[in-house]
Short mmCIF file of all heavy atoms in Angstrom, two decimals:
data_model
loop_
_atom_site.label_atom_id
_atom_site.label_comp_id
_atom_site.label_asym_id
_atom_site.label_seq_id
_atom_site.Cartn_x
_atom_site.Cartn_y
_atom_site.Cartn_z
N THR A 408 17.76 2.92 28.27
CA THR A 408 17.96 4.35 28.02
C THR A 408 18.15 4.58 26.53
O THR A 408 18.99 3.93 25.90
CB THR A 408 19.21 4.84 28.78
OG1 THR A 408 19.03 4.58 30.16
CG2 THR A 408 19.42 6.32 28.55
N PRO A 409 17.40 5.47 25.93
CA PRO A 409 17.53 5.70 24.48
C PRO A 409 18.85 6.38 24.16
O PRO A 409 19.49 6.99 25.00
CB PRO A 409 16.33 6.59 24.15
CG PRO A 409 16.05 7.31 25.43
CD PRO A 409 16.39 6.35 26.53
N PHE A 410 19.22 6.30 22.90
CA PHE A 410 20.42 6.98 22.41
C PHE A 410 20.23 8.49 22.57
O PHE A 410 19.21 9.05 22.20
CB PHE A 410 20.65 6.63 20.95
CG PHE A 410 21.83 7.32 20.35
CD1 PHE A 410 23.12 6.93 20.65
CD2 PHE A 410 21.64 8.37 19.47
CE1 PHE A 410 24.20 7.56 20.08
CE2 PHE A 410 22.71 9.02 18.91
CZ PHE A 410 24.00 8.61 19.21
N ALA A 411 21.23 9.12 23.14
CA ALA A 411 21.13 10.55 23.41
C ALA A 411 21.04 11.32 22.11
O ALA A 411 21.84 11.14 21.21
CB ALA A 411 22.34 11.02 24.21
N ALA A 412 20.03 12.17 21.99
CA ALA A 412 19.83 12.98 20.79
C ALA A 412 19.67 14.42 21.19
O ALA A 412 19.11 14.74 22.23
CB ALA A 412 18.60 12.51 20.01
N THR A 413 20.18 15.31 20.37
CA THR A 413 20.10 16.74 20.69
C THR A 413 18.73 17.32 20.41
O THR A 413 18.33 18.29 21.03
CB THR A 413 21.15 17.51 19.86
OG1 THR A 413 20.92 17.25 18.47
CG2 THR A 413 22.55 17.02 20.21
N ALA A 414 18.00 16.72 19.44
CA ALA A 414 16.67 17.25 19.10
C ALA A 414 15.68 16.92 20.20
O ALA A 414 15.70 15.84 20.78
CB ALA A 414 16.20 16.66 17.77
N ALA A 415 14.82 17.84 20.48
CA ALA A 415 13.81 17.64 21.52
C ALA A 415 12.73 16.70 21.01
O ALA A 415 12.30 16.79 19.87
CB ALA A 415 13.20 18.98 21.92
N ARG A 416 12.27 15.81 21.91
CA ARG A 416 11.23 14.87 21.54
C ARG A 416 9.86 15.53 21.72
O ARG A 416 9.62 16.23 22.70
CB ARG A 416 11.29 13.62 22.43
CG ARG A 416 12.60 12.87 22.31
CD ARG A 416 12.74 12.24 20.96
NE ARG A 416 13.92 11.39 20.90
CZ ARG A 416 14.41 10.91 19.80
NH1 ARG A 416 13.85 11.22 18.65
NH2 ARG A 416 15.47 10.13 19.82
N ARG A 438 13.05 4.68 16.24
CA ARG A 438 13.74 5.97 16.19
C ARG A 438 15.05 5.92 16.96
O ARG A 438 16.06 6.48 16.53
CB ARG A 438 12.82 7.05 16.76
CG ARG A 438 13.39 8.47 16.62
CD ARG A 438 12.52 9.46 17.37
NE ARG A 438 11.15 9.38 16.90
CZ ARG A 438 10.11 9.74 17.64
NH1 ARG A 438 10.29 10.16 18.88
NH2 ARG A 438 8.88 9.66 17.16
N ARG A 439 15.03 5.21 18.11
CA ARG A 439 16.27 5.08 18.87
C ARG A 439 17.33 4.33 18.08
O ARG A 439 18.51 4.74 18.05
CB ARG A 439 15.99 4.36 20.19
CG ARG A 439 15.10 5.14 21.14
CD ARG A 439 14.63 4.26 22.27
NE ARG A 439 13.75 4.98 23.19
CZ ARG A 439 12.91 4.40 24.02
NH1 ARG A 439 12.82 3.10 24.04
NH2 ARG A 439 12.15 5.13 24.83
N LEU A 441 17.45 4.00 14.83
CA LEU A 441 17.84 4.78 13.65
C LEU A 441 18.79 5.91 14.03
O LEU A 441 19.68 6.27 13.26
CB LEU A 441 16.60 5.35 12.96
CG LEU A 441 15.73 4.33 12.22
CD1 LEU A 441 14.51 5.01 11.63
CD2 LEU A 441 16.52 3.64 11.12
N ASP A 442 18.57 6.50 15.22
CA ASP A 442 19.49 7.55 15.67
C ASP A 442 20.91 7.01 15.80
O ASP A 442 21.88 7.65 15.35
CB ASP A 442 19.03 8.12 17.02
CG ASP A 442 17.78 8.97 16.88
OD1 ASP A 442 17.48 9.39 15.74
OD2 ASP A 442 17.08 9.19 17.89
N LEU A 443 21.02 5.84 16.41
CA LEU A 443 22.34 5.25 16.56
C LEU A 443 22.93 4.86 15.21
O LEU A 443 24.12 5.08 14.94
CB LEU A 443 22.25 4.03 17.48
CG LEU A 443 23.56 3.30 17.76
CD1 LEU A 443 24.58 4.23 18.43
CD2 LEU A 443 23.31 2.07 18.64
N PHE A 446 24.03 7.93 13.37
CA PHE A 446 25.25 8.46 13.98
C PHE A 446 26.48 7.71 13.45
O PHE A 446 27.47 8.32 13.05
CB PHE A 446 25.15 8.34 15.50
CG PHE A 446 26.40 8.75 16.22
CD1 PHE A 446 26.71 10.10 16.40
CD2 PHE A 446 27.28 7.80 16.72
CE1 PHE A 446 27.86 10.48 17.07
CE2 PHE A 446 28.43 8.18 17.37
CZ PHE A 446 28.73 9.52 17.55
#
Side-chain angles (χ1 to χ4, degrees):
T408 302
F410 178 74
T413 57
R416 299 292 187 192
R438 186 187 304 155
R439 294 168 181 160
L441 289 178
D442 288 342
L443 181 60
F446 175 78

